[in-house]
């Protein structure tokens, strides 16, 4: 499978030595994409059932997605090491269960994925502006700040200034600058855009929407005419649908429609995802149950 920008789990150390899974949003290649597909399978089929699942079932499910057995087993081992799943030996066989942190994060992820694109929030025209200065010499810190604010949906029209039309992101912004030790240098404001310059230019300078538009259109092209067939065809199609969609809540800054280009492809992609997911879900879940029964 081609590499993707889908978030994957890593473990960070908390105070007191507690390990917790979090999300690392980086490009994946090789067996890491197997791990990302495993997370999609766990969220779509294992999470709702709250049952332990045999290794053979997960390996077989990943083989439906063209993942070789060795890569599938590596994905399971790494997910276990990162705190998402835990194994239990039953005789000579092994079955897997979600850990409480893994279940919590997958639940939050599922809520984000299935809610994304389902409703348009009303916008009152006000902006959240964050000003935070990082010395040029601290390049690593500058990069970490940019990465985290970008993934939080902020755009930067000029160096040191970050904006978002979502005022509710202020708490997240505050948490980011505090965790990076930049709260003493940061300031925030909420205001409407003024008379100097124009809002459209600021949006264009703050977010590069061209790549996101292309990804939405690729998604539309891939799934619009999809008609799954074969023994596991719907299971594969549904898993790929969710797997491809799950990156968009992290890539899309979720700007109000008023700020987006006319005919924004994200609206059409969201409609396609939700329509196909509902259409394919009964058959895909039935095929999963059959696979679990036969491979288990």
């Amino acid at each position: 499978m081609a590499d993707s920008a889908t978030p994957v789990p890593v473990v960070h150390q908390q105070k007191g030595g507690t390990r917790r899974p979090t999300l690392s949003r980086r490009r994946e290649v090789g067996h890491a994409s197997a791990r990302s597909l495993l997370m999609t399978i766990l969220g779509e089929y294992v999470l709702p059932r709250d049952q332990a699942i045999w290794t053979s079932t997960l390996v077989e499910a990943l083989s439906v997605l063209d993942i070789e057995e060795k890569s599938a087993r590596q994905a399971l081992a790494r997910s276990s090491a990162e705190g998402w799943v835990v194994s239990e030996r039953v005789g000579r066989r092994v079955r897997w269960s979600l850990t409480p942190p893994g279940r919590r994060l997958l639940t939050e992820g599922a809520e984000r994925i299935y809610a994304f694109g389902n409703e348009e929030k009303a916008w009152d025209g006000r902006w959240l502006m964050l000003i935070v200065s990082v010395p040029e010499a601290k390049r690593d810190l500058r990069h970490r700040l940019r990465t985290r604010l970008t993934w939080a949906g902020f755009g930067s029209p000029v160096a040191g200034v970050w904006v978002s039309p979502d005022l509710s992101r202020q708490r997240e912004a505050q948490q980011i600058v505090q965790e990076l030790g930049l709260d003493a240098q940061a300031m925030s404001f909420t205001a409407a855009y003024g008379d100097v310059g124009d809002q459209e230019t600021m949006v264009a300078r703050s977010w590069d929407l061209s790549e996101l538009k292309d990804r939405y259109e690729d998604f539309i092209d891939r799934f619009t005419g999809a008609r799954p067939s074969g023994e596991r065809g719907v299971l594969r199609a549904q898993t790929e649908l969710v797997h491809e969609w799950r990156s968009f809540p992290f890539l899309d800054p979720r700007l109000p429609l008023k700020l987006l280009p006319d005919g924004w492809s994200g609206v059409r992609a969201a409609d396609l995802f939700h329509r196909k997911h509902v259409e394919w879900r009964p058959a895909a879940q039935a095929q999963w149950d059959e696979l679990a029964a036969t491979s288990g």
Side-chain angles (χ1 to χ4, degrees):
M1 181 173 176
D3 73 353
S4 71
T6 306
V8 294
V10 296
V11 167
H12 289 287
Q13 199 80 9
Q14 290 181 313
K15 292 180 180 179
T18 303
R19 294 163 65 83
R20 60 176 177 86
T22 61
L23 292 176
S24 171
R25 303 173 180 92
R26 59 176 178 80
R27 298 188 69 80
E28 305 169 275
V29 294
H31 61 263
S33 62
R35 182 172 45 148
S36 182
L37 281 166
L38 174 62
M39 293 301 109
T40 299
I41 288 171
L42 292 174
E44 183 71 9
Y45 306 108
V46 177
L47 178 66
R49 287 166 172 78
D50 194 22
Q51 295 175 343
I53 194 77
W54 297 109
T55 300
S56 56
T57 300
L58 294 171
V59 169
E60 179 65 20
L62 285 166
S63 74
V64 172
L65 299 159
D66 300 326
I67 299 298
E68 296 180 354
E69 181 176 349
K70 179 180 178 181
S71 295
R73 291 183 180 275
Q74 287 176 339
L76 271 169
R78 294 187 67 182
S79 299
S80 176
E82 289 160 353
W84 284 79
V85 294
V86 62
S87 63
E88 175 191 11
R89 183 167 292 278
V90 182
R92 301 180 64 179
R93 306 179 67 197
V94 174
R95 60 185 181 185
W96 300 85
S97 301
L98 295 171
T99 62
R103 172 170 294 279
R104 182 168 59 252
L105 283 178
L106 283 177
T107 299
E108 292 171 357
E111 291 172 352
R112 184 183 300 111
I113 290 166
Y114 303 134
F116 182 70
N118 239 350
E119 59 182 28
E120 170 65 15
K121 292 182 179 179
W123 183 52
D124 63 3
R126 290 192 298 161
W127 289 88
L128 167 63
M129 181 170 66
L130 176 70
I131 301 175
V132 54
S133 175
V134 182
E136 178 66 30
K138 297 184 177 181
R139 293 187 178 181
D140 179 64
L141 183 58
R142 286 164 63 95
H143 174 73
R144 289 163 62 196
L145 177 68
R146 173 172 291 276
T147 299
R148 293 191 61 179
L149 287 176
T150 298
W151 285 111
F154 283 82
S156 180
V158 295
V161 177
W162 295 85
V163 294
S164 170
D166 186 350
L167 303 191
S168 69
R169 296 180 188 269
Q170 186 157 206
R171 178 174 295 180
E172 185 174 3
Q174 183 180 36
Q175 181 179 357
I176 290 170
V177 296
Q178 285 178 343
E179 290 179 356
L180 294 178
L182 294 169
D183 44 321
Q185 294 101 300
M187 297 175 283
S188 66
F189 304 86
T190 58
Y193 194 89
D195 295 331
V196 179
D198 64 85
Q199 196 163 240
E200 291 74 15
T201 300
M202 184 190 73
V203 170
R205 293 178 63 175
S206 301
W207 293 276
D208 180 4
L209 298 177
S210 58
E211 183 178 353
L212 179 60
K213 174 178 176 288
D214 289 343
R215 289 194 62 153
Y216 272 132
E217 292 181 352
D218 288 344
F219 181 88
I220 292 168
D221 290 344
R222 178 174 180 182
F223 291 104
T224 293
R227 293 178 177 84
S229 61
E231 185 180 4
R232 305 287 185 211
V234 179
L235 178 68
R236 175 174 180 142
Q238 181 81 325
T239 306
E240 290 179 340
L241 179 80
V242 174
H243 187 71
E244 292 300 318
W245 184 250
R246 66 180 254 204
S247 64
F248 286 113
F250 298 97
L251 297 173
D252 192 330
R254 286 163 278 182
L255 301 178
L257 280 177
K258 181 179 179 180
L259 300 175
L260 292 168
D262 292 338
W264 177 240
S265 54
V267 175
R268 290 182 288 124
D271 177 71
L272 176 64
F273 168 76
H274 292 291
R275 180 161 40 85
K276 289 292 187 181
H277 189 264
V278 170
E279 176 186 339
W280 290 343
R281 189 178 190 281
Q285 295 291 330
Q287 287 185 5
W288 170 265
D289 288 333
E290 181 184 345
L291 183 144
T294 56
S295 62

